[in-house]
Amino acid sequence: MGEPIVLILSADATVQPESIVERIRKHTNGQDRITLGDAPESIGFPYQIHTKYYDTQVVLCAHGSADLSTVPSAILKRTEGMLIYFDAKDRTFLERLPAYGAFVQQHEIEFGILLCSTLQESSAEGVTYAEAKSQCTVLDVIELEPSAEDEAEGREEVAGAVEATGVDELIQAMHNYIWSNVNIHRGSRNAAVPDGDGSALLPSANPGNDNGADGGGGGGEEEDDDGPITEEEERIIEAELNGFERLLTEVMNFQPNTSNWTRNERLMYAEELAEMFDEMFEEDDGVGHP
């Protein structure tokens, strides 16, 4: 099917979608261009995402028209994200905004963000944050050039980390999203091949046997005399498996459960889930080791 596409449109005639691509990739668009469609032109640019937890590559698709009906079906089938740039001083954009929201929902695009230079403080000056969100709750809003006051607020620590602003906030949002083709980092756990119920990811009830009867973990014949797993050990394994399944369920339901949350709330929740996974696997790695 190909790599996931992030569709980029501009409702501002003075800003080309390709300029948004350059700001995300932080370099000029060179030769790595992929023609995805014609009339209007749709140009794709590969974008590598590397985080602590996964690696992946998506295609940033600069579409030459803000008219949603011109997006080819072949592109829509691969679209997992959508960025819409608008002029925050143009209040007529609010009239078109519900259509963009409906489009995102219709095509089940979970990663959708409105982009602008700087939001206005009052409706007399243009589009405010409150107005944009009230017209379309399914799209977040990011200022690429926030005011000095907003940028100063962004530098304040949130939950122990400095909150990103501008294009860095957009990049952070893209890195926090779980794309369909992610390659999860598992480190030393690569050797573990989970069973159908995922039990291989859990601590062994007999850690000394993990390397086999003749393994180097201090096993041997003495380990073979341990006998069957006790009821207490079975209870512990079952509890760990249930906990792991509950955590997986939370991860799988992350998008629907947090669809109405703010970006910061989703980020903090995602970090909590990641820490829970880390703690679970650290306990696993530590079993049987002094």
Side-chain angles (χ1 to χ4, degrees), residues 26-268:
K26 296 194 173 182
H27 62 75
T28 58
N29 297 327
Q31 301 300 316
D32 51 347
R33 302 161 63 94
I34 309 166
T35 300
L36 300 174
D38 298 310
E41 189 176 44
S42 296
I43 303 296
F45 301 88
Y47 180 61
Q48 185 72 29
I49 295 177
H50 174 75
T51 74
K52 176 181 178 181
Y53 299 104
Y54 72 85
D55 286 312
T56 193
Q57 180 170 283
V58 299
V59 175
L60 304 178
C61 175
H63 187 62
S65 172
D67 184 350
L68 297 173
S69 65
T70 64
V71 181
S73 59
I75 291 178
L76 280 177
K77 289 178 181 178
R78 292 171 53 190
T79 297
E80 295 185 15
M82 189 169 180
L83 306 178
I84 305 165
Y85 187 90
F86 70 99
D87 179 3
K89 294 182 179 180
D90 179 12
R91 289 189 57 80
T92 63
F93 177 73
L94 292 174
E95 300 171 5
R96 290 172 280 167
L97 188 49
Y100 286 117
F103 183 85
V104 165
Q105 290 181 304
Q106 176 186 351
H107 295 282
E108 299 181 342
I109 300 172
E110 296 181 345
F111 182 85
I113 296 179
L114 296 172
L115 303 174
C116 67
S117 176
T118 308
L119 289 164
Q120 303 304 304
E121 294 295 327
S122 70
S123 57
E125 299 172 327
V127 179
T128 67
Y129 177 84
E131 288 176 322
K133 290 299 292 183
S134 66
Q135 291 292 321
C136 182
T137 59
V138 297
L139 294 170
D140 285 326
V141 186
I142 291 180
E143 298 173 289
L144 296 181
E145 298 174 8
S147 64
E149 181 180 349
D150 291 340
E151 197 164 8
E153 290 179 359
R155 284 195 292 267
E156 296 178 0
E157 289 194 359
V158 177
V162 177
E163 184 179 358
T165 60
V167 70
D168 289 334
E169 182 181 1
L170 171 58
I171 292 172
Q172 184 183 74
M174 294 181 65
H175 284 215
N176 289 337
Y177 184 76
I178 305 299
W179 305 94
S180 64
N181 63 336
V182 297
N183 178 24
I184 301 294
H185 296 164
R186 297 189 61 183
S188 61
R189 306 175 197 109
N190 282 333
V193 180
D195 297 330
D197 61 359
S199 58
L201 299 175
L202 299 172
S204 169
N206 291 304
N209 288 337
D210 285 348
N211 293 325
D214 298 323
E221 295 182 0
E222 183 178 347
E223 297 293 341
D224 293 336
D225 295 332
D226 285 347
I229 296 176
T230 66
E231 291 184 4
E232 177 65 15
E233 289 170 335
E234 286 184 354
R235 185 190 65 78
I236 293 174
I237 292 175
E238 183 176 358
E240 290 171 340
L241 179 57
N242 289 338
F244 185 71
E245 289 177 342
R246 284 195 298 270
L247 185 54
L248 282 180
T249 300
E250 286 195 58
V251 172
M252 293 174 65
N253 293 330
F254 179 85
Q255 291 296 335
N257 288 347
T258 63
S259 59
N260 294 325
W261 295 13
T262 66
R263 185 179 302 103
N264 284 338
E265 288 173 336
R266 289 201 303 272
L267 175 59
M268 293 176 67

Side-chain angles (χ1 to χ4, degrees), residues 188 203-204 206-208 210-211 216-218 281-290:
S188 61
S204 169
N206 291 304
D210 285 348
N211 293 325
F281 285 123
E282 283 172 4
E283 291 174 1
D284 188 358
D285 293 341
V287 173
H289 298 283

